[in-house]
Amino acid sequence: MEKTKLYILSILSACIAGGGLTSEAKVSDKLSFNPAIAKQEVLTMPSGEKVGYTAYENIYYVSNIEDSVYQTLNLYVPESLKSGDSTPIFLRTYIGGYMATTAKSPSAGDATGRALKEGYVVCIPGSRGVNSTISRNGKTVCTGTAPNGLLDLKAAIRYLRYNDNVIPGSAERIIIDGTSAGGAMSALVGSTGDRPEYDKYLRKMGAAPTSDKVFASVCYCPITDLNHADMEYEWLYGCTNTGVRHLDANQIMISNELAAECPAYINSLDLKDDEGNLITSDNYRDYLKTFLIASAHKALEEGCEIPDSIGIIRYSEKPNFGDFPPMDGNGDGRGAPSYGPAGVRPMFNNNTDYVTDIDLDKYLSYVASVTPLKTPPAFDQYGVLIDTPTPENKVFGDEEGNPSNFTEFSLRHRLHDPKATLGKDLSARIFIMNPMNFISENATSVAPHWYIRHGAKDRDTSFLVPINLATKLKNTGFDVNFFLPWNRPHSGDYNLDDLFSWIESIAD
């Protein structure tokens, strides 16, 4: 298979030399994959196992390079490459905090090393972020404002697709994996394939003239839905304001104002549970509890000790749930649990307590006691109570490095103007940085498969953010594997056995 692809590359090179391509193709000639840069490497896994692979590094994925430090990708092909044209390409982004990241090498300690061991091609692209700068005409220019980091990932995917005939693996089966802001980028890539809103940017960059769709998105604790994240955070955690959170009077005022805006947003989503019940602000807390209950119950079955003091309510004998059916699947997060405002109905064994409810306020206080909560506003804080911008404020800033508000709530508080509104260009950038705007029934732009994880004690964003994302995807017909792993903080690439079991199931 690889010999065939290299033969095709030699034909393409001959055509280029002969001048037989269109002007668009001539621009894209710069993006042709060169197998001559191959290097043989070995990765030692934690078990001591040696995984051999071929490395192709420092590959530019756009023809109009703005930032040569970050706009490259590395490609790794294992010696044990799975045979056939359908072998997935595992694309790992190391974006964190919306910061820039260089193209990296595979690591034995995360999913990149595991992907190589499993016989998948691995791609690790660099991308611009809030800390990336260049010098232009004697001035320092910030290159990582939105949507540039996302555009870099799209361009890297287009590079893989453009060279699909010569790069081992299948660009029709790209699986993107990211954590935190990288999880948000994974969600954006997965929901916006080939959307016209990005075309003008990608053409200007000199991205390959092809598709940027992906097969699957792996999203660990995605920091996304940014223009609603502040209200979701305060609506959920407001119960802790005068307790473990210790907010002052001004912070409580902002928290309450933000929380008051959240119900309308929840209701506007028209989300439904598995049984078709409408999820509203009135029953959302019960909906959230079903995921936490399922997580706690699984933890108990695995032998974890959970103190009653954090709000978990359980029985030592199997409770009577009447005529309710049991949970679909095995209740371990690998299936699709039956959930809804009526509560979860888990499968029980005879060797554990049975989680039947959660005192949600008590549990949220526990989460806040483990890691201090962010102060309001959690994300768009610039100029509201303090002048310090968040990374998200910088993402929506300008090339001169000036931060920007991305919600009218914070803008109006900063300017002390109740009628202040966001500009048209900024609003457009905010829109294309939110995956929730692109998920709809039969949307061809959306990846068919999703693996979403958010730790059950992760307070970096509200639980509403990943739950809303997973629920909207599922409501609109996409394959979603979602779970809140018990006692897991803000982190990614964990429980790799489950992740790669899922990948194997969708790749067959």
Side-chain angles (χ1 to χ4, degrees), residues 32-284:
S32 294
F33 177 68
N34 178 13
I37 63 174
K39 297 185 300 180
Q40 302 306 310
E41 304 284 355
V42 174
L43 183 67
T44 302
M45 301 300 290
S47 64
E49 179 182 357
K50 305 290 186 181
V51 177
Y53 62 91
T54 303
Y56 306 88
E57 298 180 321
N58 301 314
I59 301 170
Y60 293 112
Y61 51 71
V62 290
S63 58
N64 298 330
I65 302 162
E66 180 183 52
D67 197 325
S68 60
V69 174
Y70 299 109
Q71 291 182 294
T72 67
L73 63 80
N74 293 341
L75 193 66
Y76 303 98
V77 180
E79 291 177 354
S80 61
L81 177 69
K82 291 179 180 290
S83 61
D85 293 339
S86 61
T87 301
I89 298 176
F90 189 82
L91 189 152
R92 174 63 154 92
T93 173
Y94 283 91
I95 294 172
Y98 289 94
M99 303 284 278
T101 179
T102 56
K104 299 186 184 301
S105 302
S107 169
D110 66 21
T112 56
R114 178 63 178 267
L116 284 175
K117 179 179 179 295
E118 295 293 333
Y120 301 129
V121 176
V122 171
C123 176
I124 307 177
S127 56
R128 294 166 292 173
V130 296
N131 59 326
S132 59
T133 62
I134 60 171
S135 178
R136 183 189 299 158
N137 299 324
K139 294 183 179 181
T140 298
V141 175
C142 297
T143 62
T145 57
N148 287 356
L150 171 60
L151 296 173
D152 286 344
L153 296 179
K154 284 178 166 288
I157 291 162
R158 289 189 172 203
Y159 179 91
L160 296 175
R161 282 185 168 273
Y162 183 71
N163 292 284
D164 194 24
N165 286 333
V166 290
I167 291 177
S170 172
E172 292 293 332
R173 294 204 169 193
I174 295 172
I175 301 169
I176 183 170
D177 171 25
T179 296
S180 192
M185 291 297 190
S186 184
L188 278 160
V189 166
S191 60
T192 65
D194 297 348
R195 290 288 303 204
E197 290 88 346
Y198 304 89
D199 284 348
K200 65 178 182 180
Y201 300 105
L202 291 164
R203 283 196 300 269
K204 183 178 179 181
M205 293 166 63
T210 186
S211 172
D212 50 62
K213 292 181 183 178
V214 294
F215 180 65
S217 285
V218 177
C219 310
Y220 286 100
C221 49
I223 304 296
T224 191
D225 197 12
L226 292 176
N227 47 319
H228 302 105
D230 287 333
M231 63 175 70
E232 293 171 311
Y233 203 86
E234 300 311 318
W235 185 82
L236 181 66
Y237 285 112
C239 62
T240 70
N241 284 353
T242 57
V244 293
R245 202 175 183 190
H246 301 300
L247 298 186
D248 62 30
N250 289 329
Q251 291 170 330
I252 290 174
M253 178 186 69
I254 294 297
S255 175
N256 291 342
E257 290 179 10
L258 282 166
E261 293 189 356
C262 191
Y265 177 61
I266 293 173
N267 297 338
S268 73
L269 295 174
D270 292 324
L271 301 177
K272 293 180 175 63
D273 68 14
D274 277 0
E275 297 170 354
N277 300 310
L278 186 65
I279 300 164
T280 70
S281 58
D282 292 332
N283 59 25
Y284 198 104

